[in-house]
């Protein structure tokens, strides 16, 4: 425990007064509809009928904010505040109000009595603001409702911001989550030269909703050993006497900022290399500190019972109303606010000025700092496509060459995240331009590891996602490349990010940020050596449940379409873009110009693969690289064997096109949909993922009754690629059978062909089981016709 | 590092030979189609055409398995082996084959040359076995493809198995994941008296797919500090000389098992209380140990390059073929296997016998140990329901009384998991029967914390899910109660568990295990004080993508139906059951007998709420507590205001009923579906979650074109309950408007009513914004009619 006393009596008194002001405003937001400065005795009608908020964590947040203000003023530091216990929303609203930011952003809420009344009333009130720290809260990039992502967001914010200090408050409840437990290791990926600093502050108030927390209930020595093991130097502040804690915390923050400065000087000026041991703070103070000690004879302050509202039924229980009034008056509001309801001027001077105020820090409204990426022309990376479906390329390998130059041209503004899979996903060309960020020990055998690497690899999808979210929300760009099945690990993080994007889009003061871009490869159809555990295409379904204004899903069928889609996504703003693409050698279909035109339309007829240019007898639709391959092979069989059958091939890159225009901004009009899919002909749709998603997107369209979808039906194991499509009836032979079963009046040659298809499936299965690989006659298929 | 040498020269030689045998069989599985004992020179056609497997982690797994065999034999220990690096599948197959289990389970694969040939051929081969440790692997409860859950599964297996030691191998890649990083803290929840022991073995082979691992690249002191901080006593074994490592590892395991015994004796015999410091082992050996040191001049052994197949193109590259033969012969197979291909008898004697073999341990095939729960009659917990929709109950609070007695009657066989939410979810009655498991420090203010508690609370959905999975797969029962929105955190774990259930159901030697039961409460419609971050009903959609034979989703509308559904789920086997229920005071509709009948049907007409018993003009369907309330209130308005309109109310508890019977075992026949929903009348369906799920389930049914679904459209914030339903057009007034808009020919009184509904919505919105709560005239609605 720190023993120096850096605060003079005056400073101490002022800091404490500032803290009391924040606590007062926090309690006021939770409880009061009116009488904001208690200039009248408190009456039931001054109190909200529904008490909805979280007090327990709030005094600790207020304490930290006030002390960080002091450090910022003393050192002119650039600090962003991340509120892990985001349900302590009233605290952050109170502080951004006290520093003046709130009234600048929300001009209707002034720094006077009327403003205070509105500030209180709106909190967690219908038509008002959320109870948590949210997009609506100035200075925040982090919601904190779900818990677990405070520290990983903090590191994301710090990357490539060398002058920034990100103070990350981690609740001790949140610290029990998996993502948070892994996040501490982010210090192995933070470069003291090019990146800023993260100051983790573990707020040990001891309790969650209804239980003590694990980290509060292990011996102090064990706790310190844990953080030493995570690679930090822990500084502990503990107590329940405000004056004493103020002195300790001021000293601890001075110490931490001194250490941060020393580490950065050593690395930047003295050329010291290696991983620094960064400081972190353990703050052990009571939950619900300064709130009611007891309520109805039961201990509240310093227990889990202070988690939400310590006093309930304050409208109907006079004792509780009186206790509330005592509680509020214990902060001595008359000493804190002037006649008009403004903060006392000497207290106001304790907050930093302008952009140094944490509520006004532009990094926390990243869109204002966002610069467009400098993107090379995708034409430079295009693969030559002479005839469609004749030559092969590895789509992600081609993309890798583009990303290499994106990285080279945007050396402080773009990062590529991936859980140990950049090479496996065949993006290795990027290592011609950069390395993988790595601050831990190195060995002579290592390749492409360096502190300043622009590729972030760690075997944690949570860290990849969280780092990228923090990086994007502070105004930069990135791409997360992930095995398709395991991106479900971050389903819930995606939910929260999508909600943030939706909410922030409704706030005119928040500027658009770069989209969150996923590249899902190593996908369901090509898990030859991993099998069932690696087969799940359901992330698309998950994303499709989010608000249509923020989600986009692309399934480019080949290398050039992948380039076009990636280029589009990297230019976009405020979306979640999901790109699903293959990494294996696969046929190419479109020249770069054709690819751009096709991707711009999002869905279109491939006339070269169709056997009619007029109204067809059947539509073969496809989305995804493997379904496209099987569809084309089926079309090839049909044109050769049933030359009179009018087959139209439709390829869909942007599956949101399939929705009605009323449901999604990319949705096709009924007319356009009908023009592609007809109003009455059978549609055999070969889709990359779960087949019912296509039904869910299209059920309102005229021809939905004729739609028959093949996709992944959760049938898979370790087997060959063609066996995988056969297991799910997505193979070319089955697609031909589907056509024959659906188109009336095809006659005897179709019946013969159908039987041949059945036999072909059996033969393919037999070949595979006999030889352990697919029949080369199948895998070697190309489109033979000259066009 | 341990320095004693517990192995005699003979023991050492035998152990090493056993390890060589396992390594040989592992390499054989990855590479060989034929010539299994190399009794001929290796030729290209002996090698598989596709080389699909993971070598890197395998020698370490084989080493540990052989050494654990020794410990089991010496001590007659009951040990389950959890393979965190599950992609090291060949190692586990090899070991269960060597100990004889494999040939007992798969009688076609005998312990002879022919059996070896089949064993090798089937691995990662079409029609054969998966490349990972999987349900198909005897002795496993853990797949390990996704990575991150080894340790949490191990703890789940150890709970209530006092004589069991669960050896959990944690890969150093896996150790970077969030769930694994949090899992170490499971030692704060393990009772040394009633639970068994978990021996974590961190397998530091240094590399992932393409990178070094974090834990392998921090100083040894930091690493030990980390595990000391996690509350363990780390024992390190390190080296690359087999003889030396054998001695170290034997000593380390002896030490660890001695410590485990001492801890258990102290707690069980000497009455020692408090949390023990359990041992854990750090095993630092080369990745791909004993494999090719170099390939084509590049270092392979001891690097990430040994992760999958160190030698590729062995059919076409003679140098690689020769290197493979040298590698295989380096294990000296002629010394290990007899003439017939059986393991040398003195080596065979190194494996334990019967159920002590880790491949044959019954805990790893939990169904064989599963006992039915002793369930009290749900009638004893029923709430009285005089008139429907007239009285209120809190459904989960009622369920809590039932669960209290389930816990009391099944004191070693059932656990309730929840992330700090048992009380918040109003299941507190359980604390009359038990406590929350807690081994960390306690304070006098704590309530219901004890080492032997049957309720497991930690703020990590990953740990709750993983503990429960481990507990179920070893033959016990449980329920996971979770906030609805945050259960998405375990989406990916659910995927893997559902896949395990599907796979194991196809293996006749695996017996059915108890279902994984979720109670999702604190649901999307009642997040009054948390708002948007806590609003997501999409887990149902996620689950509905899994194979129909393993998933069930129930939306009981009131207290008695919740009891009936819970009773059913707790009796079921081999499913994932999702129950969504409310915790707030809500109207009750059905008596217990009616509830049982209704839940058994899964969907049915509520005649008391319908205005016709014949063919209706419109069907009001509902699923979920809040949609049911709004639907009934809408029906009430309609019967009073449009008495000539024939309204049928259909309530759906089991939403899988909505699928065609061809798609799901619970699906209704076309006739039954049409009997409920008509073939041509408008259906206004009020649904708990995302509306399109109902379309996805019903699109094949005749009357789908007339189906109009209201549900959650991602519109939500911190507001009142009725405002939430209004934001999503799910409120009673809007449902009435939907009816009027869809039923033709209703005339002017309907037009008047429609306008009143528009006005009622505006008035309700106004009331809420003015007073901060819902209009009591709305929230106080009950069904007035006597029936």
């Amino acid at each position: 425990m720190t023993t120096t006393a850096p605060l003079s009596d005056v400073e101490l008194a002022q800091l404490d007064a500032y803290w009391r002001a924040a606590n007062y405003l926090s309690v006021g937001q939770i409880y009061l509809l009116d009488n904001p400065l208690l200039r009248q005795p408190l009456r039931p009608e001054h109190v909200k009928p529904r008490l909805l908020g979280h007090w327990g964590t709030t005094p600790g947040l207020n304490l930290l904010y006030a002390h960080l203000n002091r450090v910022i003023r003393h050192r002119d530091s650039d600090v962003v505040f991340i509120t892990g216990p985001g349900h302590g929303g009233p605290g952050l609203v109170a502080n951004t109000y006290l520093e003046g930011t709130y009234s600048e952003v929300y001009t209707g809420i002034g720094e006077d009595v009327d403003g205070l009344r509105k500030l209180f009333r709106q909190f967690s009130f219908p038509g008002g603001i959320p109870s948590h720290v949210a997009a609506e809260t100035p200075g925040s990039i982090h919601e904190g409702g779900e818990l677990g992502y405070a520290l990983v967001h903090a590191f994301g914010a710090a990357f490539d911001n060398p002058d920034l200090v990100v103070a990350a408050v981690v609740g001790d409840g949140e610290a029990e989550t998996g993502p948070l437990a892994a996040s501490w290791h982010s210090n192995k990926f933070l470069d003291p030269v090019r990146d800023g600093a993260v100051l983790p502050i573990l707020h040990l108030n001891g309790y969650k909703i209804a239980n003590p927390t694990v980290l509060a209930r292990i011996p102090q020595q064990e706790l310190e050993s844990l953080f030493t093991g995570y690679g930090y130097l822990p500084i502990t502040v503990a107590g329940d006497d405000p004056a004493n804690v103020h002195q300790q915390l001021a000293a601890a923050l001075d110490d931490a900022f001194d250490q941060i400065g020393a580490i950065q000087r050593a690395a930047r000026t003295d050329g010291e290399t290696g991983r620094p041991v960064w400081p972190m703070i353990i703050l052990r103070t009571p939950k619900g500190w300064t709130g009611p000690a007891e309520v109805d004879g039961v201990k509240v302050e310093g227990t889990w019972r202070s988690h939400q509202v310590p006093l309930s039924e304050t409208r109907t229980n006079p004792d509780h109303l009186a206790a509330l009034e005592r509680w509020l008056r214990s902060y001595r509001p008359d000493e804190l606010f002037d006649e008009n309801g403004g903060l006392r001027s000497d207290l106001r001077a304790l907050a930093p000025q302008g952009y140094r105020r944490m509520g006004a820090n532009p990094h926390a409204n990243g869109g204002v700092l966002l610069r467009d990426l400098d993107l090379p022309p995708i034409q430079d990376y295009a693969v030559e496509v002479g005839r469609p479906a004749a030559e092969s390329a590895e789509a992600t390998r081609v993309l890798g060459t583009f990303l290499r130059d994106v990285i080279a041209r945007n050396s402080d503004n773009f990062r590529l995240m991936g859980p140990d899979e950049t090479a496996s996903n065949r993006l290795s060309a990027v290592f011609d331009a950069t390395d993988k960020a790595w601050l831990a020990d190195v060995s002579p055998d290592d390749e492409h590891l360096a502190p300043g690497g622009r590729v972030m690899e760690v075997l944690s999808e949570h860290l990849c996602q969280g780092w990228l979210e923090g990086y994007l929300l502070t105004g930069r760009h990135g791409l997360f490349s992930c095995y398709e099945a395991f991106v479900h690990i971050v389903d819930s993080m995606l939910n929260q990010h999508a909600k943030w994007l939706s909410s922030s889009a409704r706030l005119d003061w928040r500027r658009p940020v770069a989209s969150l871009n996923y590249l899902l490869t190593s996908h369901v159809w090509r898990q030859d050596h991993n099998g069932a555990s690696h087969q799940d295409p359901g992330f698309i379904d998950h994303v499709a449940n989010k608000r249509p204004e923020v989600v986009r899903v692309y399934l480019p069928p080949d290398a050039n379409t992948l380039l076009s889609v990636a280029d589009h996504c990297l230019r976009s703003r405020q979306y979640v873009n999901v790109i699903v693409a293959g990494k294996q050698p696969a046929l190419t279909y479109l020249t770069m110009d054709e690819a751009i035109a096709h991707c711009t339309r999002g869905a279109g007829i491939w006339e070269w693969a169709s056997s009619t240019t007029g109204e067809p007898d059947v539509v073969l639709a496809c989305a995804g690289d493997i379904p496209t391959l099987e569809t084309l092979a089926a079309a090839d069989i049909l044109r050769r064997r049933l030359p009179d059958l009018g087959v139209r091939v439709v390829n869909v890159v942007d599956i949101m096109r399939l929705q009605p225009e009323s449901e999604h901004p990319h949705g096709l009009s009924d007319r356009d949909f009908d023009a592609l899919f007809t109003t009455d002909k059978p549609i055999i749709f070969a889709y990359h993922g779960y087949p019912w998603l296509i039904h869910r997107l299209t059920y309102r369209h005229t021809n939905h009754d004729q739609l028959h979808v093949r996709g992944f039906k959760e049938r898979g194991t370790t087997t060959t690629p063609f066996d995988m499509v056969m297991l799910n009836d997505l193979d070319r032979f089955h697609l031909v059978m589907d056509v024959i079963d659906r188109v009336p009046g095809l006659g005897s040659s179709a019946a013969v062909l159908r039987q041949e298809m059945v036999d072909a499936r059996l033969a393919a299965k037999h070949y595979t089981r006999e030889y352990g690989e697919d029949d080369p006659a199948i895998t070697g298929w190309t489109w033979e016709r000259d066009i």
Side-chain angles (χ1 to χ4, degrees), chain A:
Chain A
M1 242 168 273
T2 314
T3 51
T4 55
L7 303 172
S8 72
D9 289 351
V10 172
E11 283 178 311
L12 174 60
Q14 283 180 325
L15 243 178
D16 191 65
Y18 199 94
W19 181 45
R20 283 189 280 122
N23 286 338
Y24 180 83
L25 296 189
S26 302
V27 184
Q29 288 174 77
I30 295 173
Y31 281 96
L32 298 186
L33 271 180
D34 206 345
N35 191 14
L37 284 173
L38 291 187
R39 290 183 177 163
Q40 308 161 44
L42 189 64
R43 293 195 304 271
E45 64 268 28
H46 297 150
V47 180
K48 295 184 180 182
R50 296 161 76 242
L51 301 172
L52 305 169
H54 296 81
W55 165 248
T57 189
T58 302
L61 296 173
N62 289 339
L63 182 80
L64 288 164
Y65 205 100
H67 277 260
L68 283 163
N69 280 344
R70 171 183 168 273
V71 172
I72 294 166
R73 271 191 300 110
H74 282 195
R75 298 167 187 253
D76 193 30
S77 299
D78 194 10
V79 179
V80 164
F81 190 85
I82 305 262
T83 315
H87 42 297
L92 275 290
V93 171
N95 274 291
T96 52
Y97 179 83
L98 288 175
E99 73 189 16
T101 313
Y102 207 88
S103 301
E104 291 169 21
V105 171
Y106 299 107
T107 49
I109 295 184
E111 299 184 59
D112 52 24
V113 178
D114 183 56
L116 281 172
R117 184 182 297 110
K118 290 179 182 163
L119 184 81
F120 288 2
R121 180 186 175 92
Q122 68 166 5
F123 173 77
S124 209
F125 200 83
I129 62 168
S131 66
H132 295 181
V133 177
E136 287 83 350
T137 317
S140 178
I141 60 163
H142 177 82
E143 215 272 355
E146 179 157 308
L147 302 181
Y149 316 128
L151 196 52
V152 70
H153 283 166
F155 277 91
F159 294 141
D160 296 314
N161 272 327
D163 299 324
L164 192 65
V165 177
V166 187
V169 186
V170 176
D172 49 353
E174 172 175 43
E176 294 177 10
T177 67
L180 205 296
S183 297
W184 298 104
H185 287 299
S186 300
N187 55 3
K188 284 84 186 179
F189 301 87
L190 184 95
D191 180 5
V193 177
R194 299 181 48 158
D195 300 329
V198 172
L199 177 61
I201 303 169
L202 178 66
H203 183 18
L204 273 189
N205 67 27
Y207 296 92
K208 301 173 292 217
I209 303 179
N211 284 298
T213 59
V214 168
L215 294 186
R217 295 296 184 88
I218 61 176
Q220 176 73 18
Q221 200 177 350
E222 215 169 279
L223 186 68
E224 290 183 15
S225 181
L226 183 65
F227 289 107
T228 305
Y230 273 127
Y232 295 87
L233 184 80
I235 307 168
T236 298
V237 172
D240 57 8
D241 169 54
N244 176 280
V245 171
H246 281 309
Q247 292 288 9
Q248 284 186 59
L249 182 56
L253 283 169
D254 283 345
D255 183 7
F257 275 74
D258 285 348
Q259 288 188 48
I260 289 169
I263 288 167
Q264 292 179 336
R265 269 192 308 281
R268 297 172 189 181
T269 311
D270 309 340
E272 201 158 294
T273 59
R275 172 171 57 93
V277 175
W278 296 92
M280 59 88 63
I281 292 176
I282 298 171
L283 174 66
R284 201 187 282 269
T285 54
K287 184 152 185 160
W289 199 15
T290 74
E294 286 193 357
V295 176
D296 300 335
V298 175
K299 185 174 170 186
V300 171
E301 186 190 19
T303 81
W304 71 93
R305 297 190 193 90
S306 65
H307 183 75
Q308 293 187 9
V309 290
L311 292 161
S312 57
E313 293 152 14
T314 34
R315 279 195 161 205
T316 51
N317 181 327
D319 290 346
H320 285 201
L321 184 70
L324 173 61
E325 184 164 6
R326 279 196 305 278
W327 178 14
L328 282 161
R329 291 198 190 279
S330 75
Y331 300 118
R332 308 195 295 280
D334 292 344
E335 296 179 11
L336 307 172
F337 298 94
D338 63 23
E339 184 68 15
N340 299 324
L343 184 64
R344 214 172 72 193
S345 62
D346 65 320
L347 299 184
R348 180 62 187 269
L350 298 182
Q353 299 295 309
Y355 291 135
R356 284 294 189 244
R357 294 172 299 177
M358 290 186 284
N361 192 308
H363 294 289
N365 183 8
V368 303
L369 301 177
L370 186 66
R371 288 172 283 136
D372 286 346
L373 282 176
D374 175 9
L375 295 175
I378 50 175
Q379 286 76 2
D380 294 355
Y381 309 89
V383 295
E384 284 286 326
V385 178
R387 292 187 307 157
E391 298 145 281
S392 281
E394 292 158 280
T396 56
R397 199 179 294 281
V398 173
L399 180 69
T401 61
F402 174 68
L403 291 176
R404 173 196 65 212
D405 294 343
V406 173
I407 289 171
R409 288 173 178 231
N410 301 276
S411 62
D412 63 349
N413 202 19
F414 177 86
R415 294 211 181 207
L416 179 64
M417 313 282 172
D420 194 31
E421 294 160 7
T422 305
S424 170
N425 289 336
R426 308 198 181 171
L427 301 172
S428 321
V430 297
F431 298 123
D432 295 342
T434 188
D435 297 302
K436 291 173 272 194
W438 187 258
L439 274 287
D441 297 348
V442 291
S443 108
D445 297 322
D446 292 337
E447 291 181 355
H448 303 305
L449 300 182
R454 317 295 305 154
V455 176
M456 315 281 304
E457 293 208 343
V458 64
L459 211 161
S460 167
E461 286 78 2
H462 291 115
L463 296 197
C464 292
Q465 170 88 14
W467 287 340
L468 182 54
E469 289 177 356
Y471 197 67
L472 297 175
L473 291 172
T474 48
R476 284 79 63 80
H477 306 262
L479 177 70
F480 176 11
S481 124
C482 191
Y483 275 34
E484 183 185 41
F486 299 148
V487 73
H488 273 300
I489 290 170
V490 299
D491 275 1
S492 210
M493 297 181 78
L494 179 278
N495 286 351
Q496 300 301 331
H497 190 77
K499 283 173 187 283
W500 182 280
L501 292 179
S502 300
S503 299
S504 61
R506 294 193 292 270
L507 302 166
D508 57 6
W509 60 273
R510 283 220 181 251
R511 307 305 307 147
V513 296
S515 300
L516 173 54
N517 300 307
Y518 293 97
L519 173 67
L520 306 185
T521 181
S522 302
H523 63 52
V524 56
W525 299 108
R526 294 308 302 271
Q527 289 301 334
D528 313 5
H529 61 302
N530 285 308
S533 67
H534 288 50
Q535 293 163 345
D536 188 309
F539 189 66
I540 299 173
D541 304 59
H542 181 69
V543 167
N545 272 348
K546 307 297 111 188
R547 288 176 70 126
E549 65 268 25
V550 299
V551 294
R552 305 288 184 267
V553 179
Y554 301 97
L555 294 139
D558 70 355
N560 286 340
T561 49
L562 174 58
L563 280 173
S564 172
V565 164
D567 179 67
H568 172 76
C569 292
L570 291 178
R571 293 174 195 277
S572 73
R573 298 285 183 270
Q574 208 74 6
Y575 296 148
V576 172
N577 293 310
V578 179
I579 308 171
V580 185
K583 70 180 186 182
Q584 304 289 347
L587 293 175
T588 56
Y589 309 114
L590 303 185
T591 65
M592 197 69 245
D593 286 347
E594 289 166 349
I596 292 171
H598 183 55
C599 294
T600 304
R601 280 193 305 269
I605 298 170
W606 280 6
E607 296 192 349
W608 59 268
S610 305
S611 64
T612 175
T613 53
E615 182 76 358
D617 300 308
V618 64
V619 176
L620 293 189
C622 48
D625 61 342
I626 298 293
T628 299
L629 169 67
E630 294 305 316
T631 294
L632 291 170
D636 194 24
I637 294 169
L638 289 168
R639 81 184 164 104
R640 286 184 287 108
R641 299 296 305 279
L642 300 175
D644 295 338
L645 180 70
V647 174
R648 173 187 293 174
V649 173
V650 172
N651 182 267
V652 181
V653 174
D654 171 359
I655 62 165
M656 294 300 160
R657 277 280 191 264
L658 298 173
Q659 293 198 72
E661 57 187 339
S662 59
E663 298 296 308
H664 193 283
H666 284 195
L668 289 174
S669 67
D670 286 343
R671 211 181 69 172
D672 289 345
F673 187 92
D674 295 347
L676 283 179
F677 293 99
T678 80
T679 55
D680 58 356
K681 297 302 185 300
I683 310 163
I684 311 297
F685 200 125
Y687 170 57
H688 170 84
Y690 294 111
W692 33 86
L693 180 70
I694 301 301
H695 288 291
R696 164 250 198 277
L697 297 173
T698 58
Y699 68 83
R700 291 170 196 255
H701 285 298
T702 310
N703 198 20
H704 176 258
D705 282 350
Q706 290 268 39
L707 176 67
H708 186 67
V709 188
R710 294 294 176 188
F712 182 66
K713 299 190 288 187
E714 279 286 333
R715 305 201 182 261
T717 180
T718 321
T719 190
T720 63
F722 195 72
D723 195 39
M724 270 300 295
V725 289
M726 282 202 295
L727 285 173
N728 292 279
D729 299 337
L730 182 72
D731 59 285
R732 56 197 67 174
F733 305 132
H734 209 289
L735 295 176
V736 170
M737 289 159 58
D738 287 336
V739 169
I740 294 170
D741 292 346
R742 292 243 152 184
V743 178
L746 288 179
S748 61
S749 58
V752 170
L753 178 59
R754 194 185 189 291
Q755 190 54 48
E756 282 180 41
M757 295 294 99
V758 172
D759 295 342
R761 279 166 57 88
L762 289 171
K765 174 74 77 180
H766 179 77
Y767 189 101
T768 300
R769 299 234 169 170
E770 185 68 19
Y771 300 103
E773 59 186 345
D774 288 323
D775 184 348
I778 291 171
T779 54
W781 173 86
T782 62
W783 188 269
E784 300 162 344
R785 182 170 61 175
D786 284 329
I787 56 170

